[in-house]
Amino acid sequence: MLETVASFGLAADEKAEIKKNRLLPKDGGEGKKRIAIVTGVHGDELEGQYVCYELIRRINSRLTELNGIVDVYPMLNPLGADAVTRRIPIFDIDMNQIFPGGENDSPWEYMAEKVIEDIRGADLCIDIHSSDIFLREIPQVRILSENKAKLLPHAKRLNCDFVWVGNSAAVKPSSLSYALNSTGTPCLVVEMGAGMKITKSYGEQLLDGIFALMSDIGIWTGRIGEVSNPIVSADGEVTMIHCGKSGVFIPAIEHWIGICEGEHIGDIINVFTGETEEEIFSPAAGMVFTLREYPVVSAGSLIARILGGGR
């Protein structure tokens, strides 16, 4: 059942609208548990689009096994998606920096407030993000340390490769997830893939985890697949690698592999002179969970993140 969560008028008789699809069991949703699946806060984050499509398709094909309410919000920033831009075009706003919003503020802060109101009270929310066009991330859950006790059991069931606890940079006070967790609605942030891409295998992996969580909560009574046990890591176990020169990055490793301390990660090359400006070596052993996707770099650009000492 398609519903409009919030809207406001634009020029030329057009509207900005945020919509959701509410899936209900055949006996109705009164008194049932509820889960919210949200994506598209940034217009260039498309990995969650396939997840929304496939989640709705699978539930509709096995509706007798649904025992709760599933609210799917496929695109919170529809203007950004239409304009192929991360931020809200014209307004030049990062939507994930205006929550919880306010009814008497700008139109998009009003929209943000309506989104919070609509999701608030759900038994769980999953906020799906991609990386940007510059970096590629393996499927991961990011939670703040103060929410660890409440969220970690859910995070471990999402079938992601690891859970990053304490990554405050990804869960800012102005974000959707922070606003929901602050008001008592548990919200997990999933990050996977790269901007402007859909990685079907990542989507399938996350879908298995979503159905497992729905089963745990009592929303899904059907068969679920096996979910993997993720590595759980804190900020202190993550090594950031930045380049020191500008140029084009040519990787010497693959994404999500184990590397040794001192191993060659890649080179920064100069396409004008045919020279290698910088050779980059790993300062630590571990797993490469973030790797540069867009090859053109400036001095100081992030090249990789390495996860070490997980537990």
Side-chain angles (χ1 to χ4, degrees):
M1 178 171 59
L2 289 178
E3 300 178 10
T4 298
V5 175
S7 68
F8 69 87
L10 298 170
D13 294 324
E14 294 184 327
K15 280 186 178 181
E17 293 184 308
I18 295 175
K19 295 186 177 183
K20 73 175 182 183
N21 190 344
R22 168 161 284 190
L23 305 172
L24 297 169
K26 291 199 170 184
D27 59 353
E30 188 172 351
K32 302 285 188 179
K33 299 278 191 178
R34 176 164 64 101
I35 190 170
I37 310 298
V38 181
T39 190
V41 173
H42 296 119
D44 64 348
E45 294 180 339
L46 305 178
E47 299 281 8
Q49 302 297 295
Y50 176 74
V51 175
C52 291
Y53 156 76
E54 186 65 8
L55 179 65
I56 294 168
R57 188 194 69 79
R58 291 186 191 184
I59 290 174
N60 281 333
S61 68
R62 299 160 62 186
L63 202 54
T64 56
E65 296 169 344
L66 183 63
N67 189 44
I69 302 169
V70 180
D71 282 337
V72 183
Y73 303 75
M75 183 53 68
L76 288 196
N77 180 4
L79 298 187
D82 289 345
V84 199
T85 183
R86 187 170 182 81
R87 300 165 71 89
I88 299 171
I90 303 172
F91 301 87
D92 194 29
I93 293 172
D94 182 338
M95 191 172 188
N96 215 32
Q97 293 184 9
I98 60 173
F99 289 99
E103 188 168 349
N104 297 320
D105 297 318
S106 70
W108 278 101
E109 287 173 300
Y110 158 78
M111 299 279 267
E113 183 182 56
K114 292 303 179 185
V115 168
I116 293 291
E117 287 178 1
D118 202 68
I119 299 174
R120 184 183 290 128
D123 294 277
L124 184 65
C125 176
I126 301 172
D127 181 18
I128 305 171
H129 289 259
S130 308
S131 184
D132 52 31
I133 64 170
F134 301 102
L135 300 168
R136 186 173 190 82
E137 305 279 1
I138 58 103
Q140 60 198 262
V141 186
R142 299 181 177 183
I143 58 179
L144 291 177
S145 299
E146 55 262 39
N147 296 326
K148 181 178 178 180
K150 177 175 67 174
L151 296 181
L152 186 56
H154 294 315
K156 286 182 174 180
R157 293 287 286 162
L158 258 184
N159 202 35
C160 290
D161 294 308
F162 87 101
V163 180
W164 192 353
V165 179
N167 183 19
S168 56
V171 191
K172 296 178 180 178
S174 55
S175 67
L176 171 67
S177 59
Y178 189 95
L180 288 171
N181 282 308
S182 298
T183 57
T185 300
C187 181
L188 298 169
V189 174
V190 173
E191 188 105 11
M192 63 183 190
M196 296 190 183
K197 292 187 177 181
I198 290 178
T199 310
K200 188 177 178 182
S201 60
Y202 288 172
E204 297 283 350
Q205 180 179 340
L206 181 60
L207 280 160
D208 285 343
I210 291 173
F211 276 99
L213 267 179
M214 291 198 301
S215 178
D216 293 348
I217 296 170
I219 291 175
W220 186 253
T221 63
R223 180 185 57 81
I224 61 171
E226 283 191 29
V227 297
S228 61
N229 191 32
I231 299 168
V232 179
S233 179
D235 274 342
E237 297 161 342
V238 173
T239 300
M240 311 278 193
I241 300 174
H242 298 83
C243 62
K245 300 287 186 178
S246 299
V248 174
F249 173 62
I250 305 298
I253 58 172
E254 298 293 330
H255 199 207
W256 197 227
I257 63 162
I259 62 171
C260 301
E261 182 177 351
E263 188 168 339
H264 187 207
I265 289 177
D267 300 315
I268 308 300
I269 62 170
N270 188 321
V271 298
F272 292 98
T273 66
E275 298 175 330
T276 297
E277 296 286 343
E278 180 183 8
E279 294 180 309
I280 301 174
F281 299 92
S282 178
M287 297 292 293
V288 179
F289 72 91
T290 303
L291 186 63
R292 187 78 183 184
E293 176 82 3
Y294 188 75
V296 178
V297 296
S298 300
S301 293
L302 180 63
I303 297 298
R305 294 190 187 101
I306 297 174
L307 174 66
R311 57 187 182 278

